[in-house]
Amino acid sequence: MPKYFINNHFSLKINNISELFALLARSNNIIVTTHSNPDGDAIGSSLALYHYLSGIGKNVSVIVPNKYPEFISWLPGNEHIIVLEEERELAKSAFTGAEFIFCLDYNAIHRSGSLQDLLKLSDVPKMMIDHHPEPETEAFEFLYTTTQTSSTAEMIYDFITEIASDQAITKDIATCLYVGIMTDTGSFSFACNRPETFQVTAKLLQSGIDAEWIHRKVYDTFSEDRLRLLGFSLSEKLVVRLEFATAYIALSRKDLDRFNFQVGDTEGIVNYALSIKGIVMAVLLTERKGKIRLSFRSKGPFSVNEIAKNHFNGGGHRNAAGGDAYESLEKAIAQLEELLVVYKEPLLNTDDS
Ligand code: 5GP
Ligand code: MN
């Protein structure tokens, strides 16, 4: 199967990848977008593409739907990011003159949250570059999509080096891509069994980046409140259901307020629940405005994507997924407990020894 999918139900007369690259070369005003609640891969991929495209003279606007955590707000080029929910007029005016739109790290228009109306209204060609399963093919003129990759950042490396060469990977681009790969693999602990991930990472290191410093910038910049929230979650809120190979943590609005919750403060908590021996699925439930957010992780073949998609209006990858419940925290916990009974067999049959 060819790597790039060109959707010919659109009227564009593009037949192959070199014609797509030529279209891109002719486009001067380019928008780069990503999914709501942007993570390290979303921001890293977007800024890497920003640096490459602006480096070859394009006028590039990176537009993200909403705010993202402090620990990824230091990447080179961060000051150029337009947050739609904070700078709506600026974002809208960028769409007015756009000639090409990139959609990075999401597989369906609705995943772009508050950006989706602008995307749906725009008749500019859109290209998805993404690593989630089941892409919404019909909404994009061009797609580079696979699940056989650690991250979108790894695909952006591939895309840039295919248009140009390894030489195009500057230190700034490499820093952004490294953040994407590192965060989407949990510092090379999952989604990293393919040698290509390490080959790309080695190339990034050759551009002179400081991987140790980058790791510290992302993982060692907790506020005291964030660390205490983690401690509280583990000592007071962790529920272990070994009989279902599941552990979960539920944080109410009151719990979050107590620790002066900031965007990103609950990031990573769910992984501690998964680190218990014998646990196959871990879930973090947090009470947000008008909904309960669920963050799922799993080990091995057990698919939390299926759980998020079928029961919590969400989705994601086999071992990392998210969703929402539109009810009280207590009801969401009860729903989860009921599902454990339903999924007991596959949960217990996941041999991870
Ligand atoms: P997290 O638990 O870190 O928020 O999300 C883990 C992964 O699940 C993300 O990388 C993303 O791929 C996916 N994900 C999170 N929330 C949603 C959601 O609401 N819908 C879908 N389709 N995927 C989600
Ligand atoms: Mn990703």
Side-chain angles (χ1 to χ4, degrees):
M1 208 179 89
K3 194 162 79 177
Y4 297 97
F5 179 68
I6 297 169
N7 213 341
N8 50 27
H9 78 246
F10 291 96
S11 55
L12 276 168
K13 291 187 175 54
I14 301 286
N15 298 304
N16 55 47
I17 187 64
S18 34
E19 288 177 16
L20 163 61
F21 289 168
L23 170 68
L24 201 50
R26 289 197 300 276
S27 308
N28 286 317
N29 296 307
I30 299 178
I31 291 185
V32 177
T33 65
T34 192
H35 57 80
S36 62
N37 306 322
D39 59 8
D41 192 28
I43 297 297
S45 296
S46 300
L47 284 176
L49 194 55
Y50 166 86
H51 287 298
Y52 169 67
L53 294 171
S54 45
I56 58 170
K58 306 292 182 191
N59 174 31
V60 190
S61 304
V62 179
I63 306 177
V64 308
N66 58 345
K67 245 179 95 171
Y68 46 94
E70 278 275 317
F71 61 80
I72 46 170
S73 297
W74 57 269
L75 273 64
N78 183 67
E79 66 280 13
H80 298 294
I81 296 181
I82 301 169
V83 179
L84 175 75
E85 290 176 12
E86 291 174 358
E87 296 166 284
R88 196 166 288 273
E89 289 313 310
L90 194 58
K92 269 166 116 175
S93 69
F95 268 86
T96 308
E99 294 161 87
F100 198 96
I101 301 175
F102 282 98
C103 301
L104 306 186
D105 203 35
Y106 61 103
N107 63 352
I109 296 284
H110 74 88
R111 292 276 298 128
S112 68
S114 53
L115 258 173
Q116 64 185 299
D117 291 341
L118 284 171
L119 286 170
K120 282 180 196 157
L121 279 175
S122 172
D123 55 5
V124 167
K126 297 178 202 71
M127 179 167 190
M128 170 203 289
I129 303 182
D130 178 58
H131 66 133
H132 292 89
E134 300 170 37
E136 182 186 44
T137 319
E138 61 291 352
F140 302 84
E141 280 81 349
F142 311 107
L143 298 99
Y144 172 20
T145 162
T146 173
T147 54
Q148 300 299 305
T149 181
S150 65
S151 54
T152 299
E154 196 180 322
M155 301 170 78
I156 297 291
Y157 177 89
D158 199 49
F159 185 64
I160 294 175
T161 53
E162 189 151 343
I163 298 179
S165 73
D166 287 5
Q167 301 303 310
I169 305 296
T170 61
K171 195 172 167 185
D172 280 351
I173 293 176
T175 299
C176 296
L177 293 180
Y178 189 85
V179 168
I181 297 174
M182 180 185 76
T183 53
D184 254 27
T185 60
S187 297
F188 303 93
S189 65
F190 52 80
C192 61
N193 270 340
R194 294 163 48 262
E196 289 83 354
T197 301
F198 290 88
Q199 281 155 358
V200 168
T201 304
K203 290 279 190 189
L204 300 181
L205 288 168
Q206 279 164 1
S207 74
I209 60 169
D210 184 341
E212 297 173 11
W213 176 80
I214 293 172
H215 191 280
R216 289 197 298 275
K217 289 286 280 183
V218 173
Y219 294 111
D220 298 344
T221 51
F222 277 49
S223 64
E224 181 181 341
D225 277 333
R226 183 178 169 190
L227 197 65
R228 293 196 186 280
L229 173 64
L230 169 64
F232 169 80
S233 304
L234 301 183
S235 74
E236 306 297 319
K237 293 283 157 173
L238 176 68
V239 177
V240 180
R241 291 265 183 268
L242 260 187
E243 65 278 31
F244 299 111
T246 297
Y248 65 86
I249 294 166
L251 298 172
S252 67
R253 189 67 244 173
K254 204 168 136 232
D255 297 330
L256 297 172
D257 286 346
R258 177 174 160 197
F259 295 96
N260 186 27
F261 173 77
Q262 305 292 312
V263 177
D265 278 359
T266 52
E267 207 73 31
I269 294 180
V270 66
N271 298 316
Y272 287 93
L274 192 68
S275 69
I276 302 169
K277 191 173 174 185
I279 293 300
V280 167
M281 175 166 77
V283 190
L284 174 72
L285 303 93
T286 43
E287 192 175 359
R288 303 288 167 93
K289 249 188 239 139
K291 66 179 186 189
I292 306 300
R293 178 86 201 141
L294 292 101
S295 185
F296 298 91
R297 296 293 183 272
S298 69
K299 292 174 189 153
F302 187 81
S303 171
V304 282
N305 178 30
E306 296 300 316
I307 304 261
K309 194 172 65 182
N310 296 337
H311 307 284
F312 295 103
N313 316 295
H317 307 277
R318 187 184 67 184
N319 297 131
D324 296 307
Y326 298 93
E327 52 202 354
S328 69
L329 186 57
E330 289 67 32
K331 281 200 173 144
I333 295 170
Q335 189 188 353
L336 178 66
E337 287 274 3
E338 280 169 27
L339 286 172
L340 297 186
V341 179
V342 177
Y343 287 90
K344 183 172 182 173
E345 204 185 303
L347 281 164
L348 294 183
N349 285 341
T350 294
D351 180 11
D352 196 46
S353 51

